[in-house]
């Protein structure tokens, strides 16, 4: 039986509700359940999950609903009871902290507030951000689905007031050593970063930390800042701040290749700033960067190595090898591929971090020609229905892309969908390698390696039972000082049989070595 | 040095909207952080949110803030005193023999809820304009009777709020602004006119009030002289009243004040006793004083340009209406009245209830009633039984008001002044609606009160008001 309960004009935030949906689905006798606000998105979900009843038509976006298909009325009552229990549990837990409803209320409690982290639904995000800017509060906007017009207006206002307007879709920053949202514990140093990409920042900063250097400031702009429409407003603003920051000696810029005119302006500004600057336009042409006397990087890892060299007063050289050395890597790759069955030839990349997924594809596309993806490098390689449908030949999936985050938290917070997919891919007899990331640090799941290692173990056993050998290549983006700990995470993955490489670029190169062996 | 470079030298203090774990991460690192219990502005209505943003444009916001401070100043400066009693037709401006005042925003006979119709019919019989209900109904529908909100005549009325020409009324004057306000005598609980009861028993009581009790009170008050109402309410709040749904302490204080004067009137002892017992037997006697006190406190804020403070909240059992100080007395923003959630008297249930009714929420508008629920643990059963709930209701109201009271204070909140001056902008921004303690009328006329509980004004009233503010000033 399908049943619906509606509560008019009750608002709960979607993350809470998604967690609750997940919990109630575990109750005995519940076939499917969805707890949410009646947004368009959730309405579609109710239809697609087959939970729709006639009464559902009256639900509006301001209504809270519980829809479930269960064995009996009693089970549905149990669902409602559980939902209420989980909803009130939260309020009891937070009773000691008073959560004011508005920024004004927050400023009464803490008048020195200077940074806002905003992750409310996109359609409300610009309003919240503008209110913060009006109060002179710098903004880090993690929400997506903010329009270009809204983004432009916010950034123009922020620039006029000399404020940061990082985002939309900016998930990573570190100001004065404080990690904001998705960020790692990085030692303090003299390398200042501005990045249009969240996991890009995390990858570069964690490698810098691993190499023994540190970060002065790490600022974000959001992925669209360097498009022509926005014109790099925030990249320029941040760059200017780093140029004038005494603690910053080296500057590192990270972005997908910008619009040409925007690139020219940024590079000119960086060149005139006079500080040694490493530029990583992931997959972009290094010549333009060199023309301005700046240092191009071939990968995120390379950017970190070059910044570290500059910080130490050394001449930066390209790093495109392995920490273990190329020979060892080749030997190791051969050991892996020798164990594989005939017919195993494809790689499946399953990522929670969008930028490092993109980087992996860009590093490999020259060898492979086609990589099918929900974030394809060229339009003809788009994998339709990536969430529900099968992968195709060499496939890389970004689980943080819209299709996968409908009705769910970001995969760095809830990596369960990706974990399920690891097992699914192992069933395909043509799959030789599964490549995964594991992003730790603040903001991320409390222990992403635990979930992931379970599914790696399952996947490898499954392949083995069918006479195949599955190689799982992993990279951990994080540091030992992170709450989850890089070493602890690494141990979990290795115990499950994964090969853990020190960077995304090295993991990708290792996969390339194996594919070369398999395909000749 | 740019402001961003200045930021690099400051201690980071974070405010977090959305995913709560980002806040917990800051707390776990020992950083300064505040999490917002965020809800979409105006419940997600983008058009209304945009209007709010227009009003928050800095130069306009400055004017609004100054205007709202002026309103708060006037509210706090009010000096309401009880000056005496009189007959509605003689004291209330614009009153005629065929005028019937009613609670809430304007409403026509055909849209009036049953309890209000019942009270109107009872009122017409009481005035001798109709001899029975049938005649009264025909007269009410004939167009001969002028219906007008109490609020348009310096008057407030609980529940149906029906005031007719010959009814005796309390006379309050806000001495700080020389402003008059009036309200009838409270009839008591149960089957009474204000809840729509209109049989002979009700009419007989109204007659006794006019002919027997009122003359005693009037003379007693003349002997006594003015009574400071603000002090009396302030004391009652310390004695467990919130002066809307609980008026036991305040009623006692009033009787203590005038008992000796009643004794010294020239009326027969029996009549004095009956008059005194009538006040004393009704715990809600004082409601009809706290209401005009609040009315006289709030009306002087009308006409402050750019003021977004709510000057009036009132309901007629069909619509809930609010008026905003800066938009003047002529503009009501209405929406269908909601149902009261609460406790029902034995034998009644939600099915029997009429939607929210009466002018009595002028008390909340002024910062008492539901806004002082924490001062009144005795009525806490209406809010689910826990004292903490009452404290929370009162505390949340500070998020939607301009300031705090200087006389009306709440002991359980360490004598903090109650939340005062509801700001339409804050209601829209926070999604927190004012909380109102109130009685519940039966949906049919003639039955009376069936329960009491809590209710909010509909959000649409505030949405319409914010749109009008933006259209007028932005």
């Amino acid at each position: 039986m399908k049943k619906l309960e509606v509560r008019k004009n009750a608002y709960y935030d979607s993350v809470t509700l998604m967690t609750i949906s997940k919990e109630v689905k575990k109750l005995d006798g519940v076939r499917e359940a969805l707890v949410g606000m009646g947004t368009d998105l959730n309405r579609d979900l109710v239809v697609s999950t087959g939970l729709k009843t006639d009464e559902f038509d009256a639900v509006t976006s301001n209504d809270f609903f519980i829809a479930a298909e269960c064995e009996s009325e009693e089970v549905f009552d149990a669902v409602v009871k559980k939902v209420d229990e989980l909803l009130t549990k939260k309020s009891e837990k937070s009773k000691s902290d008073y959560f004011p409803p508005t920024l004004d209320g927050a400023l009464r409690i803490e008048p020195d507030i200077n940074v806002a982290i905003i992750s409310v639904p996109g359609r409300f995000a610009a309003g919240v951000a503008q209110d913060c800017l009006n109060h002179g509060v710098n903004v880090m906007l993690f929400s997506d689905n903010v329009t270009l017009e809204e983004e432009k207006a916010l950034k123009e206002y922020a620039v006029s007031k000399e404020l940061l307007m990082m985002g939309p879709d900016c998930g990573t920053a570190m100001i004065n050593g404080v990690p904001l949202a998705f960020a790692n514990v990085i030692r303090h140093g003299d390398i200042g970063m501005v990045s249009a990409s969240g996991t890009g920042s995390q990858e570069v900063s964690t490698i810098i930390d691993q190499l023994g250097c540190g970060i002065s400031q790490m600022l974000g702009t959001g992925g669209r800042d360097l498009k022509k429409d926005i014109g790099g407003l925030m990249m320029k603003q941040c760059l200017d701040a780093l140029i004038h920051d005494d603690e910053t000696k080296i500057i590192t810029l990270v972005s997908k290749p910008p619009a040409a005119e925007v690139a020219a302006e940024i590079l000119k500004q960086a060149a005139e700033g006079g500080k040694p600057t490493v530029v990583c336009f992931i997959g972009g042409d290094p010549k333009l960067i060199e023309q301005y006397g700046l240092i191009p990087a071939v990968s995120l890892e390379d950017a970190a190595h070059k910044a570290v060299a500059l910080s130490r007063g050394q001449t930066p050289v390209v790093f495109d090898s392995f920490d273990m050395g190329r020979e060892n890597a080749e030997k190791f790759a051969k050991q892996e591929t020798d164990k594989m069955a005939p017919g195993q030839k494809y790689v499946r990349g399953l990522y929670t971090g969008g930028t490092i997924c993109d980087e992996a594809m860009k590093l490999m596309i020259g060898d492979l020609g086609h990589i099918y993806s929900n974030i394809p490098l060229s339009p003809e390689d788009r994998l339709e229905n990536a969430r529900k449908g099968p992968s195709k030949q060499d496939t890389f999936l970004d689980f943080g892309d819209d299709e996968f985050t409908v009705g769910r938290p970001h995969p760095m917070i809830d990596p369960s969908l990706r974990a399920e997919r690891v097992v699914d891919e192992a069933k395909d007899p043509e799959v030789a390698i599964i490549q995964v990331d594991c992003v730790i640090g603040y903001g991320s799941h409390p222990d992403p390696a635990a979930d992931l290692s379970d599914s790696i173990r399952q996947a490898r056993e499954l392949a083995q039972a069918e006479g195949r050998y599955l190689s799982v290549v992993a990279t951990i983006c994080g540091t030992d000082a992170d709450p989850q700990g890089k070493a602890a995470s690494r141990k979990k993955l290795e115990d499950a049989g994964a090969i853990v490489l020190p960077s995304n670029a090295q993991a990708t190169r290792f996969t390339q070595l194996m594919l070369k062996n398999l395909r000749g | 040095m740019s402001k961003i470079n200045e930021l690099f030298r400051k201690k980071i203090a974070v405010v977090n909207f959305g995913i709560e774990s980002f806040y917990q991460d800051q707390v776990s690192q020992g950083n300064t952080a505040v999490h917002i219990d965020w809800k979409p502005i105006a419940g997600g209505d983008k058009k209304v949110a945009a209007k709010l943003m227009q009003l928050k444009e800095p130069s306009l916001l400055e004017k609004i803030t100054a205007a709202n401070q002026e309103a708060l100043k006037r509210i706090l400066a009010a000096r309401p005193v009880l000056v005496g009693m009189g007959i509605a037709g003689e004291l209330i401006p614009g009153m005629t023999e065929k005028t019937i005042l009613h609670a809430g925003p304007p409403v026509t006979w055909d849209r009036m809820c049953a309890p209000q119709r019942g009270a109107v019919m009872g009122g017409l019989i009481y005035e001798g304009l109709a001899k029975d209900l049938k005649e009264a109904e025909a007269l009410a529908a004939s167009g001969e009777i002028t219906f007008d909100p109490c609020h348009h005549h310096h008057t407030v009325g609980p529940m149906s709020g029906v005031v007719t020409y010959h009814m005796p009324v309390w006379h309050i004057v806000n001495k700080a602004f020389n402003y008059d306000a009036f309200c009838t005598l409270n009839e008591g609980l149960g089957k009474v006119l204000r809840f729509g009861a209109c049989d002979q028993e009700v009419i007989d009581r109204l007659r006794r009030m006019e002919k027997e009790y009122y003359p005693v009170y009037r003379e007693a008050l003349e002997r006594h002289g003015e009574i400071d109402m603000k002090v009396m309410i302030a004391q009652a709040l310390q004695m467990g009243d919130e002066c809307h749904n609980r008026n036991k302490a305040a009623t006692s204080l009033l009787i203590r004040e005038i008992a000796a004067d009643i004794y010294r009137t020239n009326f027969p002892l029996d009549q004095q006793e009956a008059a005194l017992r009538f006040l004393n037997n009704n715990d809600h006697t004082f409601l009809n004083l706290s209401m005009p006190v609040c009315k006289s406190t709030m009306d002087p804020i009308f006409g402050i340009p750019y003021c977004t403070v709510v000057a009036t909240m009132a309901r007629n059992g069909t619509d809930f209406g609010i008026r905003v100080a800066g938009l003047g007395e002529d503009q009501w923003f209405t929406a269908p009245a909601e149902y009261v959630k609460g406790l029902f008297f034995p034998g009644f249930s939600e099915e029997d209830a009429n939607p929210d009714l009466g002018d009595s929420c002028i008390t909340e508008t002024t910062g008492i009633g539901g806004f002082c629920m924490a001062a009144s643990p005795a009525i806490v059963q209406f809010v689910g039984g826990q004292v903490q709930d009452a404290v929370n209701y009162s505390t949340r109201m500070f998020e939607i008001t301009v300031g705090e009271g200087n006389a009306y204070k709440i002991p359980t909140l360490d004598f903090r002044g109650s939340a005062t001056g509801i700001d339409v902008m804050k209601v829209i921004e926070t999604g927190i609606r004012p909380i109102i303690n109130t009685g519940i009328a039966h949906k049919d006329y003639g039955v009376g009160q069936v329960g009491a509980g809590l209710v909010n004004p509909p959000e649409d009233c505030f949405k319409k008001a914010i749109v009008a503010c933006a259209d007028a000033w932005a």
Side-chain angles (χ1 to χ4, degrees):
Chain A
M1 56 165 296
K2 289 177 199 168
K3 238 192 131 183
L4 177 72
E5 176 164 323
V6 179
R7 296 176 195 171
K8 289 269 165 204
N9 296 313
Y11 176 82
Y12 299 100
D13 79 84
S14 55
V15 175
T16 311
L17 296 179
M18 288 181 289
T19 324
I20 291 175
S21 294
K22 208 169 137 183
E23 285 299 313
V24 294
K25 256 198 258 185
K26 291 180 189 163
L27 294 175
D28 282 341
V30 179
R31 271 187 284 279
E32 185 60 71
L34 188 68
V35 178
M37 299 297 295
T39 56
D40 290 345
L41 208 105
N42 283 335
R43 300 174 63 84
D44 290 346
L45 272 176
V46 165
V47 174
S48 69
T49 48
L51 288 171
K52 190 170 174 304
T53 51
D54 291 341
E55 308 104 277
F56 196 80
D57 292 328
V59 174
T60 75
S61 63
N62 296 333
D63 302 333
F64 166 76
F65 71 86
I66 304 169
E69 187 179 355
C70 5
E71 275 170 10
S72 64
E73 290 272 352
E74 290 71 44
V75 173
F76 186 78
D77 291 345
V79 167
V80 173
K81 202 173 149 216
K82 184 79 181 171
V83 169
D84 284 332
E85 185 190 310
L86 292 167
L87 283 173
T88 50
K89 191 174 119 202
K90 186 175 171 249
S91 65
E92 269 172 28
K93 188 192 75 189
S94 53
K95 210 172 215 171
S96 54
D97 298 337
Y98 178 66
F99 294 165
T102 59
L103 179 61
D104 285 330
L107 287 166
R108 278 199 293 273
I109 297 167
E110 191 49 70
D112 296 331
I113 282 168
N114 44 26
V115 176
I117 303 174
I118 301 170
S119 55
V120 302
R123 62 206 159 106
F124 306 116
V128 175
Q130 184 63 53
D131 190 29
C132 292
L133 294 173
N134 287 348
H135 283 79
V137 174
N138 296 280
V139 170
M140 170 173 184
L141 180 55
F142 177 56
S143 316
D144 52 12
N145 296 316
V146 174
T147 67
L148 268 173
E149 293 72 37
E150 287 172 327
E151 176 171 355
K152 188 156 194 225
L154 287 169
K155 284 183 169 170
E156 280 172 347
Y157 182 82
V159 168
S160 76
K161 300 286 176 192
E162 298 185 2
L163 292 165
L164 293 172
M165 175 60 233
M166 304 189 284
D169 204 14
C170 171
T172 302
M174 191 170 77
I175 302 176
N176 307 350
V178 175
L180 301 172
F182 299 99
N184 307 85
V185 181
I186 308 285
R187 68 167 65 81
H188 187 76
D190 61 5
I191 300 169
M193 285 179 61
V194 190
S195 169
S197 134
T199 40
S201 296
Q202 290 190 273
E203 178 78 356
V204 175
S205 61
T206 52
I207 297 171
I208 287 173
D209 182 85
Q210 193 175 300
L211 294 171
C213 285
I215 296 291
S216 56
Q217 304 289 347
M218 180 165 76
L219 308 173
T221 65
R224 295 189 304 212
D225 191 66
L226 299 186
K227 287 196 171 175
K228 203 176 151 194
D229 314 77
I230 309 294
L233 278 170
M234 206 31 58
M235 180 71 87
K236 291 175 191 167
Q237 173 100 325
C238 293
L239 183 54
D240 180 72
L242 292 183
I243 289 168
H244 291 96
D245 175 38
D246 294 340
E247 290 196 335
T248 299
K249 307 279 190 253
I250 314 296
I251 293 173
T252 303
L253 306 179
V254 179
S255 167
K256 289 185 181 174
E261 58 268 52
V262 181
E265 284 174 27
I266 300 276
L267 295 172
K268 181 164 178 279
Q269 186 189 353
E272 287 171 2
K275 290 187 179 177
T277 303
V278 179
V279 182
C280 183
F281 288 156
I282 305 156
D285 179 9
K287 285 200 196 81
L288 182 70
I289 297 162
E290 282 164 347
Q291 274 170 26
Y292 285 90
L294 308 175
I295 301 134
V298 298
S299 67
L300 296 165
E301 176 183 39
D302 186 42
H305 277 262
K306 283 174 172 156
V308 164
L310 290 167
S311 171
R312 291 182 170 145
Q314 299 160 350
T315 310
V317 289
V318 174
F319 183 84
D320 57 1
S321 179
F322 293 89
D323 284 12
M324 66 173 93
R326 186 167 284 277
E327 266 179 44
N328 283 335
E330 281 170 357
K331 213 185 292 168
F332 195 13
K334 187 151 188 319
Q335 281 172 20
E336 286 287 295
T337 49
D338 282 350
K339 291 181 234 171
M340 289 179 188
Q344 281 190 277
K345 56 187 167 187
Y346 294 125
V347 59
R348 301 284 152 85
L350 307 173
Y351 274 75
T352 60
T355 303
I356 49 181
C357 182
D358 179 64
E359 183 194 42
M361 290 197 289
K362 280 171 176 162
L363 290 171
M364 263 195 288
I365 191 72
D367 285 4
L368 301 183
H370 292 281
I371 301 174
Y372 298 94
S373 177
N374 59 336
I375 52 162
L377 298 181
S378 54
E380 72 268 22
D381 292 345
R382 172 167 294 280
L383 190 70
E384 296 301 337
N385 196 14
R387 179 167 173 176
K388 298 265 166 62
S391 300
K392 181 178 172 188
Q393 298 174 10
D394 296 313
T395 292
F396 271 67
L397 297 177
D398 170 14
F399 282 76
D401 197 46
D402 295 348
E403 189 179 346
F404 288 95
T405 53
V406 170
R408 306 183 61 90
H410 193 277
M412 276 153 62
I413 298 175
D414 175 10
S416 57
L417 212 55
R418 196 269 302 266
E420 287 165 24
R421 187 76 173 226
V422 168
V423 180
D424 283 348
E425 295 294 350
K427 295 171 187 162
D428 183 343
E430 291 189 322
V431 169
I433 305 156
I434 291 177
Q435 186 171 328
V436 291
D437 63 347
C438 177
V439 184
I440 58 172
Y442 286 109
S444 285
H445 186 275
D447 191 0
D451 235 20
L452 181 57
S453 55
D454 284 348
S455 52
I456 289 172
R457 200 171 281 120
Q458 264 188 63
R460 283 167 57 86
E461 281 166 5
L462 206 149
Q464 196 180 9
E466 295 178 9
R468 298 191 298 275
Y469 178 84
L470 186 68
S471 187
V472 178
V473 178
T475 174
I476 297 166
C477 182
T479 70
D480 279 329
D482 282 335
Q484 303 91 338
K486 186 171 184 175
S489 301
R490 183 186 175 113
K491 183 161 190 312
K492 282 177 195 147
L493 295 179
E494 285 182 341
D495 287 350
I499 301 159
V500 182
L501 278 295
S503 72
N504 185 48
Q506 290 187 44
T508 307
R509 285 196 284 273
F510 189 75
T511 294
Q512 282 178 292
L513 291 177
M514 287 197 283
L515 289 176
K516 220 172 264 175
N517 295 342
L518 293 171
R519 299 180 191 176
Chain B
M1 187 160 57
S2 90
K3 285 206 188 130
I4 298 174
N5 289 100
E6 285 171 23
L7 176 71
F8 290 165
R9 294 172 180 215
K10 286 183 185 157
K11 190 171 175 293
I12 295 298
V14 169
V15 61
N16 185 56
F17 298 78
I19 300 171
E20 195 185 321
S21 62
F22 292 160
Y23 158 77
Q24 300 296 353
D25 283 345
Q26 295 300 322
V27 172
S28 73
Q29 295 172 81
N31 296 330
T32 305
V34 180
H35 181 66
I36 302 290
D37 181 15
W38 183 84
K39 288 182 175 64
I41 291 174
D45 186 329
K46 275 221 152 185
K47 189 182 136 221
V48 171
K51 295 288 180 185
L52 178 69
M53 289 320 284
Q54 285 177 14
L55 293 170
K56 287 189 145 198
E57 185 275 316
S59 65
L60 179 55
L61 186 61
E62 203 175 304
K63 289 182 197 161
I64 291 172
T65 307
N68 290 350
Q69 285 303 323
E70 170 62 22
L72 181 65
K73 213 171 99 188
R74 291 189 193 179
I75 295 168
L76 300 187
R79 213 151 51 75
V81 298
L82 171 61
V83 296
M85 286 195 85
I87 292 297
E90 292 162 10
L91 284 181
I92 296 176
M95 201 65 189
T96 69
E97 300 209 356
K98 287 198 169 177
T99 296
I100 291 193
L101 303 183
H102 62 77
V107 64
T108 49
W109 171 255
D110 56 306
R111 289 190 71 240
M112 252 182 217
C113 68
Q116 201 161 49
R117 281 181 170 221
V120 167
M121 292 188 285
L124 291 172
I125 295 169
Y126 164 71
E127 288 295 333
L129 294 170
K131 67 175 190 306
D132 56 24
L133 287 175
K134 207 177 150 199
E135 226 180 271
E137 189 172 7
L139 179 60
S142 69
E144 262 184 70
I145 302 298
T146 306
F147 294 110
D148 215 13
C150 293
H151 267 293
H152 290 183
H153 296 266
H154 286 246
T155 302
V156 273
M159 287 294 144
S160 66
V162 163
V163 183
T164 62
Y165 195 85
H166 289 94
M167 288 183 180
V169 290
W170 299 106
H171 183 187
I172 300 286
V173 177
N174 176 351
K175 294 266 171 171
F177 297 90
N178 202 20
Y179 185 93
D180 298 302
F182 307 98
C183 188
T184 54
L185 273 172
N186 193 293
E187 308 157 79
L189 285 171
K191 240 168 88 175
V192 288
L193 188 80
R194 72 175 186 280
F195 282 99
C198 49
D199 61 10
Q200 198 53 45
E201 183 190 337
V202 174
I203 307 298
D204 288 347
R205 186 190 302 113
L206 290 173
R207 294 252 158 76
R208 281 200 304 279
M209 287 159 64
E210 179 192 340
K211 306 288 182 200
E212 277 185 52
Y213 313 150
Y214 153 67
V216 177
Y217 306 144
R218 189 181 63 185
E219 194 181 323
L221 287 173
E222 277 165 8
R223 289 185 57 87
H224 182 284
E226 294 168 355
I227 302 174
D228 186 329
M229 287 283 114
K230 201 172 193 174
V231 171
M232 196 171 279
I233 290 175
Q235 286 174 359
L237 292 175
Q238 322 257 316
M239 297 166 72
D241 279 1
E242 38 72 275
C243 295
H244 181 173
N245 239 0
R246 190 180 197 269
N247 290 287
K248 213 168 194 158
T251 298
S252 307
L253 289 173
L254 176 74
I255 291 169
R256 210 171 79 150
E257 194 75 29
I258 61 170
D261 296 294
I262 287 177
Y263 178 63
R264 292 300 300 258
T265 57
N266 293 309
F267 296 97
L269 201 56
D270 283 355
Q271 191 177 346
Q272 289 179 8
E273 183 188 346
L276 190 57
R277 282 194 187 282
F278 181 71
L279 291 184
N280 189 51
N281 290 345
N282 177 10
D283 287 343
H284 280 302
T285 292
F286 194 81
L287 174 64
N288 290 36
L289 283 157
S290 72
M291 286 174 58
V293 162
C294 291
K295 168 79 173 164
S296 75
T297 301
M298 294 311 291
D299 274 12
I301 70 170
F302 274 118
I304 301 175
Y306 301 107
C307 181
T308 58
V309 173
V310 176
T312 309
M313 296 196 290
R315 8 6 154 205
N316 56 37
T318 303
D319 298 322
F320 197 114
I322 67 168
R323 295 188 293 177
V324 177
L327 295 174
E329 294 173 77
D330 298 333
Q331 285 198 64
W332 287 90
F333 302 98
T334 63
E338 296 185 1
Y339 285 91
V340 180
K341 292 195 182 82
L343 282 184
F344 286 82
F345 299 158
F348 296 103
S349 73
E350 279 135 11
E351 320 254 293
D352 301 309
N354 193 75
D356 193 18
L357 175 63
D359 285 337
S360 56
C361 53
I362 190 69
T363 53
E364 278 82 8
T365 318
T366 316
I368 58 176
F371 284 44
C372 280
M373 219 184 300
S376 192
I379 61 157
V380 94
Q381 56 202 348
F382 295 126
V383 301
Q386 295 193 3
V387 174
Q388 188 58 39
D389 294 331
V391 170
N392 289 349
Y393 277 116
S394 291
T395 305
R396 268 157 66 86
M397 292 303 108
F398 291 105
E399 301 291 355
I400 57 167
T401 59
V402 176
E404 298 175 10
N406 53 358
Y408 304 148
K409 295 187 172 180
I410 302 174
T412 50
L413 299 185
D414 290 331
F415 297 94
R416 186 175 182 183
S418 73
T420 305
I422 302 161
D423 181 350
V424 175
M425 289 172 68
K426 290 184 175 179
V427 172
I428 291 294
E429 179 159 21
T430 60
I432 297 175
R433 292 181 286 165
I435 187 75
I436 297 168
N437 287 344
T438 199
I440 306 171
H442 197 283
K443 66 182 175 185
D444 299 327
Y445 72 82
V447 183
Q449 185 172 7
V450 295
L454 301 180
V455 72
N456 303 111
E459 195 174 25
D460 274 354
C461 296
F462 297 91
K463 285 186 178 178
K464 287 176 184 170
I466 206 89
V467 170
C469 287
D471 290 348
W473 308 325

